[in-house]
Amino acid sequence: METRDILVKLKNGDISVEEAEHYFRRKPFEDMGYAKLDTHRKTRSGFAEVIFCSGKSDNHLLQIFGKLYEEDGEVFGTRASKSQYELIREVYPETQYDEISRIIKIEKTDKKKQGKIAVCTAGTADIPVAEEAAQTAEYFGSFVERIYDVGVSGIHRLFSKLDVVQSANCVITVAGMEGALASVMGGLVDKPVIAVPTSVGYGASMHGLSALLTMINSCANGIAVVNIDNGYGAGYIATQINRLAVKEEK
Amino acid sequence: METRDILVKLKNGDISVEEAEHYFRRKPFEDMGYAKLDTHRKTRSGFAEVIFCSGKSDNHLLQIFGKLYEEDGEVFGTRASKSQYELIREVYPETQYDEISRIIKIEKTDKKKQGKIAVCTAGTADIPVAEEAAQTAEYFGSFVERIYDVGVSGIHRLFSKLDVVQSANCVITVAGMEGALASVMGGLVDKPVIAVPTSVGYGASMHGLSALLTMINSCANGIAVVNIDNGYGAGYIATQINRLAVKEEK
Amino acid sequence: METRDILVKLKNGDISVEEAEHYFRRKPFEDMGYAKLDTHRKTRSGFAEVIFCSGKSDNHLLQIFGKLYEEDGEVFGTRASKSQYELIREVYPETQYDEISRIIKIEKTDKKKQGKIAVCTAGTADIPVAEEAAQTAEYFGSFVERIYDVGVSGIHRLFSKLDVVQSANCVITVAGMEGALASVMGGLVDKPVIAVPTSVGYGASMHGLSALLTMINSCANGIAVVNIDNGYGAGYIATQINRLAVKEEK
Amino acid sequence: METRDILVKLKNGDISVEEAEHYFRRKPFEDMGYAKLDTHRKTRSGFAEVIFCSGKSDNHLLQIFGKLYEEDGEVFGTRASKSQYELIREVYPETQYDEISRIIKIEKTDKKKQGKIAVCTAGTADIPVAEEAAQTAEYFGSFVERIYDVGVSGIHRLFSKLDVVQSANCVITVAGMEGALASVMGGLVDKPVIAVPTSVGYGASMHGLSALLTMINSCANGIAVVNIDNGYGAGYIATQINRLAVKEEK
Amino acid sequence: METRDILVKLKNGDISVEEAEHYFRRKPFEDMGYAKLDTHRKTRSGFAEVIFCSGKSDNHLLQIFGKLYEEDGEVFGTRASKSQYELIREVYPETQYDEISRIIKIEKTDKKKQGKIAVCTAGTADIPVAEEAAQTAEYFGSFVERIYDVGVSGIHRLFSKLDVVQSANCVITVAGMEGALASVMGGLVDKPVIAVPTSVGYGASMHGLSALLTMINSCANGIAVVNIDNGYGAGYIATQINRLAVKEEK
Amino acid sequence: METRDILVKLKNGDISVEEAEHYFRRKPFEDMGYAKLDTHRKTRSGFAEVIFCSGKSDNHLLQIFGKLYEEDGEVFGTRASKSQYELIREVYPETQYDEISRIIKIEKTDKKKQGKIAVCTAGTADIPVAEEAAQTAEYFGSFVERIYDVGVSGIHRLFSKLDVVQSANCVITVAGMEGALASVMGGLVDKPVIAVPTSVGYGASMHGLSALLTMINSCANGIAVVNIDNGYGAGYIATQINRLAVKEEK
Amino acid sequence: METRDILVKLKNGDISVEEAEHYFRRKPFEDMGYAKLDTHRKTRSGFAEVIFCSGKSDNHLLQIFGKLYEEDGEVFGTRASKSQYELIREVYPETQYDEISRIIKIEKTDKKKQGKIAVCTAGTADIPVAEEAAQTAEYFGSFVERIYDVGVSGIHRLFSKLDVVQSANCVITVAGMEGALASVMGGLVDKPVIAVPTSVGYGASMHGLSALLTMINSCANGIAVVNIDNGYGAGYIATQINRLAVKEEK
Amino acid sequence: METRDILVKLKNGDISVEEAEHYFRRKPFEDMGYAKLDTHRKTRSGFAEVIFCSGKSDNHLLQIFGKLYEEDGEVFGTRASKSQYELIREVYPETQYDEISRIIKIEKTDKKKQGKIAVCTAGTADIPVAEEAAQTAEYFGSFVERIYDVGVSGIHRLFSKLDVVQSANCVITVAGMEGALASVMGGLVDKPVIAVPTSVGYGASMHGLSALLTMINSCANGIAVVNIDNGYGAGYIATQINRLAVKEEK
């Protein structure tokens, strides 16, 4: 037991009480009262904490943005409104905002992208979710290929891009309406497919629930699903997968 | 108004009271107390009444089977159990039963099949529903091509049969699990696709509800959907469509 | 195999490499980056690509509208807002817009309508969806009869129009609330009924889901269902059916 | 206040303590430990307590049956199995059982039926629920007309019986699958329609939920709905309505 | 057969062709193109046609309002917005509008109210639906007692009004949230209870669906349910019931 | 029977008619026509009546607020909008309003807090619901500890506060998205956990329904659940529990 | 920090390495390979681990039963089948089994019951769940009063027992069908009500989901809900609450 | 274009018509009439085709089993019943069957396992699904660690195994009831978590749907979900991920 080692060392005077105490201390976080920022997260998991901006008060958002920027020298937020961007830009003029993905960020300029993730959409209306996925993956160091508007109602469009898709370590498939693209993709590639249902559709699409059910019930293998419109989550797990593969390429 | 014509003719003695009465009589049916058989249905719609056997008492089933046989010289029942077949066979030894589709029938031997309907399934487990559709269409005079086990997880299997599918007047697509085959089919053919969700699957397939939602939300055009496992309904409407096309071929 | 024929011909010099290559080329599309327009679609299926306007950015909508207009000399969009119409009209003053159906189009003037499709509604609130269906069918060359406000709460209104309905090749039935009109219609005509549930209603209508379930569970034969409020889809498949019948009439 | 009157009378000696106490006593019931039979119910509401047999232990069922029989000289149970009937018949040989409705009863022979309730079904499979409704209404003194198998897929069958339906004080409409009969009925009669969805159907009928939704969303007026398969509840409220009307006929 | 009688009389000259034609003519309606007003409805059912104002265009609403007013000398509309009222008032200054129930009407002044209907609510937020029910019943000639805010969380408030409730011919029970009031009411009165779930509530109330389910599953007898927020429907059927009882009181 | 005692005493002249009448009188309430304020509630249950402000008309809200303030010298309302606050403040300038919890109140200044309730949230977006719970509990006399933003995605944050949580008499756990915090909490404390699902989340969170299901299905013991976003309900029942424990501490 | 104290003491030789190690060791459990029995649970929470028998293999059940018996000298299992009982009885003849609650146990004979919990049911069919709750609470040392069959369809039965209910520290309310009893109870007592929906019912009761929704949406205060049929969970949390109150009574 | 290269080579005589034809031929499959076995699948994706045994007729199962065995020298089937095993064993005595996972297989003996996948369950009832996942992964060449019964109601059990979990390339988390384990796991590891909801539970667990929703809505990052009880699917995608990582270790 590692615990015993520490204790024996302490007993023997090999380490101080402070050093031993540090070992037993819970993993730290920044307690801001209303929030507890997981500032050691990057060390632990290789992914810095990210801000889900939607619904945050202006005051809280600014403080959290600042604290994380200060900690890492870069910061990344999802689901930001344009007015939140304007608020932050006043304090941090270097902030960037993308209206389609609604991502707000300050990013270091010398990051390089590794491996390959393909991000595909069934239609053009799925692009905002796909961009959230793609830019998340890029922020975390993945190289991303975008293949948009290749839904199954005109499946020859997908086939013309098949070599790009098949060369990726992980394929993110973003689709609303009936979400059939994920199943077709699962039958065409031999790498993990992360399926993202979107709330695109109308009528019985039930804001993405139908697409979610389609994807969960897929008859194809090698597919796993994240929440409706959860581009960020897809970009995150795809990056985890891509990193596993990338180590090998070095 | 046609009504006025009849009345004027009656007044003038051009037609008898009986003839006029016949015009105004409701369309008739055979009242068996517990059931009202729509015996004039064939004249009206070109389709004889069919027996939904499931849940009928032995006594009622036998009487209805006999009455319809007597009326038309042939009779067709769906969702029949094997024991129902054995019951009927004792009285009508010429009865035929197919264990897969669970169809029971006595069929005239000189019927010819016209036009073409393609019946496709995603998997082998969808075959019972597909056979109900195919045999219904055949009973009502359609020529049927069967293309089974061509689901999207191995989509090259469908492509190898595409010419057959594309030559049909109507394509019945039978699929459970996520039901994505219907959307792909809709993008590949230019004829109406009748989609039949099946209760094949498990987990979140919810006994076919997920496949139904997939098909209803299809991003492809030219698809309409019938109830889960309703092979009979698909065979019926496909025959209606096929008949419209067949007239032209003469 | 046709493939072999091509290859043999090439080998023998009967055709050039370019001709052979053309055969093997994927079916083409117009890649606009954010969208891949299926411009060969009309040749393939007899239906030109249509624009689903809702949710498209102004810039994308204009470009796609223009590209398709240029391709075919006419163009058709559904779910367009009035402001989208105003945007397009500035560039293409010949554009027409119908506020009820929300259809935007430039249509050739010399098109003739063939066959017959009946479009029926249960109530007056279902008319916008019915008009989307009717105008879609007309754009694609079908002759359409409108029979509105004939719901089952006053069923004599439907009976007074029964001859019109019964003479159509296909009947589109548009109904919200409980959607019972589709079942009644299925029992009265011998042609395919395409049922369109609408989101008209309140309370437990659940934005059309109840009507959808009613229609899918219909006890009548010859009914198939499209998505809630999907007038376009109904007009499309009804046209496919109508075309099959029309060929015969020549 | 009536309370004050009683108290003043008691104070003045106009009534005894026992009489006053009787006034303030809670309405009584028979406490059998595991059950509390509402034996004064008949006096209060004009309807004796009825036994829901399903799920009761043999011992409890026998005791409750006996207690209610003793109290009223007749007794009525719903959802009884055949084996429950055999159990009871051994002790009370005069017990009657109907296998279709699953009603068990001992009924006084001199009861007369008043007014009129029409009980209609869409199909033959709805008859068990209809019989539960009809026999409940008869037990409680209503005259009942049965009109079975008049569903909307062959609506002329209903029209041939319209005069019978229209002469009733209340119409019970029993239908599974899509349940459209209730809406049609509501448009044809001017008396209250009690709609009973049944669990008859398959696929997306969801054990009667679809029919329930259809009926609740009915576009016709004068319809109210009871639980799926709740023939007893329909027979009960229809009898309440019939009694209101019957008083007038005397 | 009545039909035969008519025909025989015509043949014999006892009646004219016009008289016979009148008999066979479908029940008439006013065809306004976009709508088919059921103007004979009052004769048939004793209830004039009512306007569901929500979603109607200004133009259509005005025309229908005028047509019905002209026909009957009074007119009644539900779910009217204030701006619809202002529109109509300009043409028909005698129009009355109630902001709570959203009912718009011109009503004859000499109508008398008969019988008794009790309208109860669980809370104050249910009052708009209750008023729609109450005013509908009053418009159609019922005498109405209102008992509001007597929900089960303080059930002594209901008990203090029990005599009023118990003296009605029909009790309309309006409740949102969990809708338990209907069951309690069913156990306390011996007349039909029409239960109206409302969309009042939050969280898992799912816009009234939870209350609807509670009411449909009620363990009490004598309860039937109408759609969520359907005060009009409740007032209508309660009036039908009240009329049956009222005849007797004459 | 207590009733008999009263009656005997009255008979014997030990008490007056008025005293006896008081005993038999229903528990009183303040009848305001549109509302029936349960003013004796505090005596009965130890909790004064509280105003659910949302949806109340300005006029009604002011009157009810005033009536309850007059009765108790303090008053408490939930789900108040800022404009409702401004309305009330004009009449009662001492009114306090908290924008986060949306609680409006006038509170006596000398109240002391007893026992301990811990209120925990999974994320920062759950704080408004948590504050409604916390401030409700405080208003009713509980001492409250707040532990916010300790969701399971960084569970070490919860562990650092475990001693605070474990020392409470009752733990309110507020969580949206997947609501897993409640199960983890149930495994860590030996006091009742009141779980509050929130509507925080997106996609398949279905406005809190997913979190509700998670909590209801918890594999941990000692958890019971209130409605989505029902902070008030959680604060109320936690206070009931806390009071049971507090008595002992005296 | 307690951690520091331990470390300082170790450094100073006040405690041994073993003692310190014991402090830092994770809480132990019995690892049986396929299961990890939480044998220190009783020390931690005051509740011994309980066996959910349903679905366990005979072999595993016997081993776990034995291990827990050995640990505590008594053992308690829920959802046991009769055949599981017979299996266990062969090895442990002192085992007791109750067919109604399906509880299996060996219980120490000298346990005394404290405080008071009332367990109420709406109907007789809810008794199995109620007994699971009652016997769980008794096993964990609570005194339990049973009040069965007091549903709201005859609410006077509940009122006759109100004093018993009102004297309890916690009221468990068990109800299926529409579950309205919980709301009524919440309005009548000032102690926490733990509501248990049951799967009793049919049709739209959806196996208890309707009752669950009713209870979660309750308009009354002081109610929290556990899973459908989860008598054990209700007995557990009610015991936690009862224990808080009981301490005071000493 | 590769296509052009082939054509040019053919033209130039560098390759034969047969060679060129082979290139253009669709990927082949074994057409068995009722099934189309994807026999080239292993070459394409590195995973041989697997048999979903449930629902297959004896005859079909035997033929497919034999065909795949013949093709690869090993064969793997899921969801096999014991009687299916007995059927197959008669023909292939070397067949192995595991009753818990219901996996049937003949496996080559010299396969070696690479990388590491951790398979965790919340309870013992989740083990059958976990074993399906684990054995699938092992069959496809992954090394698997099993960590069972570490659900969140006793979370210290998981912490004691954290180092094992954290050393895996992918963590499969199998949980029923409320499924909270997945979220906790996502917060503790930095590798992809594949979450498998199971149908274990009762009441509102709705056969796994609640667990599925919990997992889809997880607040933790790095989680993707497969269908309820889909152990095979989880084992498959985890193997894909593990293979990506394994390449690097060489």
Side-chain angles (χ1 to χ4, degrees), chain C residues 56-63 83-84 87:
Chain C
K56 291 235 171 1
S57 74
D58 284 359
N59 208 25
H60 289 180
L61 179 58
L62 250 183
Q63 289 177 336
S83 68
Q84 288 179 321
L87 174 90

Side-chain angles (χ1 to χ4, degrees), chain B residues 70-118:
Chain B
E70 176 186 304
E71 196 82 23
D72 287 325
E74 62 179 8
V75 60
F76 189 82
T78 62
R79 312 250 166 150
S81 67
K82 193 158 188 186
S83 67
Q84 288 179 321
Y85 163 55
E86 281 154 8
L87 174 89
I88 289 174
R89 194 182 43 182
E90 276 184 46
V91 185
Y92 304 98
E94 64 273 42
T95 307
Q96 293 172 293
Y97 182 63
D98 174 43
E99 285 195 34
I100 288 176
S101 65
R102 296 175 59 207
I103 281 172
I104 192 165
K105 68 178 174 186
I106 301 173
E107 190 171 8
K108 291 177 182 163
T109 53
D110 56 343
K111 289 158 74 173
K112 76 171 205 221
K113 311 282 182 277
Q114 289 183 303
K116 191 192 293 184
I117 292 170

Side-chain angles (χ1 to χ4, degrees), chain G residues 3-18:
Chain G
T3 297
R4 190 182 183 92
D5 293 346
I6 299 290
L7 296 171
V8 168
K9 280 180 184 159
L10 175 68
K11 177 74 176 174
N12 297 345
D14 295 348
I15 57 170
S16 69
V17 165
E18 283 70 27

Side-chain angles (χ1 to χ4, degrees), chain A residues 151-155 159 177-180 183-184 186-188 202-206 209-211 213-221, chain B residues 151-155 159 176-180 183-184 186-188 202-206 209-211 213-221:
Chain A
V152 298
S153 70
I155 207 168
F159 288 153
M177 303 184 79
E178 95 284 41
S183 288
V184 172
L188 293 172
Y202 59 94
S205 78
M206 294 185 290
L209 214 56
S210 289
L213 288 171
T214 304
M215 289 166 168
I216 277 286
N217 285 294
S218 176
C219 60
N221 295 317
Chain B
V152 299
S153 70
I155 206 168
F159 288 154
M177 302 185 80
E178 95 285 42
S183 287
V184 172
L188 293 173
Y202 58 93
S205 78
M206 295 186 289
L209 214 55
S210 290
L213 288 171
T214 305
M215 289 167 168
I216 277 287
N217 285 293
S218 176
C219 60
N221 295 316

Side-chain angles (χ1 to χ4, degrees), chain F residues 1-237:
Chain F
M1 291 298 134
E2 201 184 350
T3 297
R4 189 180 183 95
D5 294 347
I6 300 290
L7 295 171
V8 168
K9 280 180 185 159
L10 175 69
K11 177 73 177 174
N12 298 345
D14 296 349
I15 57 172
S16 68
V17 164
E18 283 68 28
E19 285 166 330
E21 187 188 11
H22 185 265
Y23 171 78
F24 293 110
R25 256 199 318 158
R26 302 292 176 196
K27 281 181 188 112
F29 51 85
E30 180 80 29
D31 199 334
M32 303 176 74
Y34 55 87
K36 296 184 177 52
L37 296 190
D38 193 352
T39 43
H40 279 226
R41 190 177 159 76
K42 192 167 191 174
T43 320
R44 232 167 57 228
S45 70
F47 293 84
E49 181 144 17
V50 157
I51 312 171
F52 185 83
C53 301
S54 171
K56 290 234 171 2
S57 75
D58 284 358
N59 207 24
H60 289 180
L61 180 57
L62 249 183
Q63 288 177 335
I64 293 171
F65 195 93
K67 179 67 70 183
L68 290 174
Y69 184 23
E70 177 186 303
E71 196 83 22
D72 289 325
E74 62 178 10
V75 59
F76 189 83
T78 61
R79 313 252 166 148
S81 67
K82 194 160 188 186
S83 68
Q84 288 179 320
Y85 163 56
E86 280 153 9
L87 174 89
I88 289 174
R89 193 182 45 182
E90 276 184 48
V91 186
Y92 305 98
E94 65 273 42
T95 306
Q96 293 173 294
Y97 182 64
D98 174 43
E99 285 195 34
I100 288 175
S101 65
R102 298 176 56 208
I103 281 171
I104 193 167
K105 67 179 174 183
I106 302 173
E107 190 170 8
K108 291 177 182 164
T109 53
D110 57 344
K111 289 158 74 173
K112 74 169 204 221
K113 310 283 182 278
Q114 288 183 306
K116 190 193 291 183
I117 292 169
V119 179
C120 306
T121 76
T124 57
D126 303 311
I127 292 177
V129 175
E131 278 300 314
E132 189 183 281
Q135 295 180 30
T136 296
E138 288 171 339
Y139 183 80
F140 289 135
S142 299
F143 176 77
V144 173
E145 290 266 16
R146 288 157 172 85
I147 301 128
Y148 291 167
D149 199 19
V150 292
V152 299
S153 70
I155 206 167
H156 60 288
R157 299 173 302 182
L158 172 60
F159 288 153
S160 75
K161 301 285 186 182
L162 212 50
D163 49 347
V164 181
V165 177
Q166 287 175 337
S167 67
N169 290 317
C170 181
V171 181
I172 295 174
T173 304
V174 183
M177 301 182 81
E178 94 285 42
L181 183 58
S183 287
V184 172
M185 194 67 81
L188 293 172
V189 303
D190 63 343
K191 297 294 177 352
V193 172
I194 301 300
V196 194
T198 71
S199 55
V200 169
Y202 58 92
S205 78
M206 293 186 289
H207 309 292
L209 214 56
S210 289
L212 169 56
L213 288 171
T214 304
M215 289 166 166
I216 277 287
N217 285 295
S218 176
C219 59
N221 296 316
I223 298 174
V225 187
V226 298
N227 200 358
I228 299 160
D229 291 338
N230 189 5
Y232 169 73
Y236 189 102
I237 194 169

Side-chain angles (χ1 to χ4, degrees), chain E residues 187-207:
Chain E
L188 292 172
V189 303
D190 63 343
K191 297 295 178 353
V193 172
I194 302 301
V196 193
T198 71
S199 55
V200 169
Y202 58 93
S205 78
M206 294 186 290
H207 309 293

Side-chain angles (χ1 to χ4, degrees), chain G residues 116 158-168:
Chain G
K116 190 193 292 183
L158 171 59
F159 288 155
S160 75
K161 302 285 184 182
L162 212 49
D163 50 347
V164 182
V165 177
Q166 287 174 337
S167 67

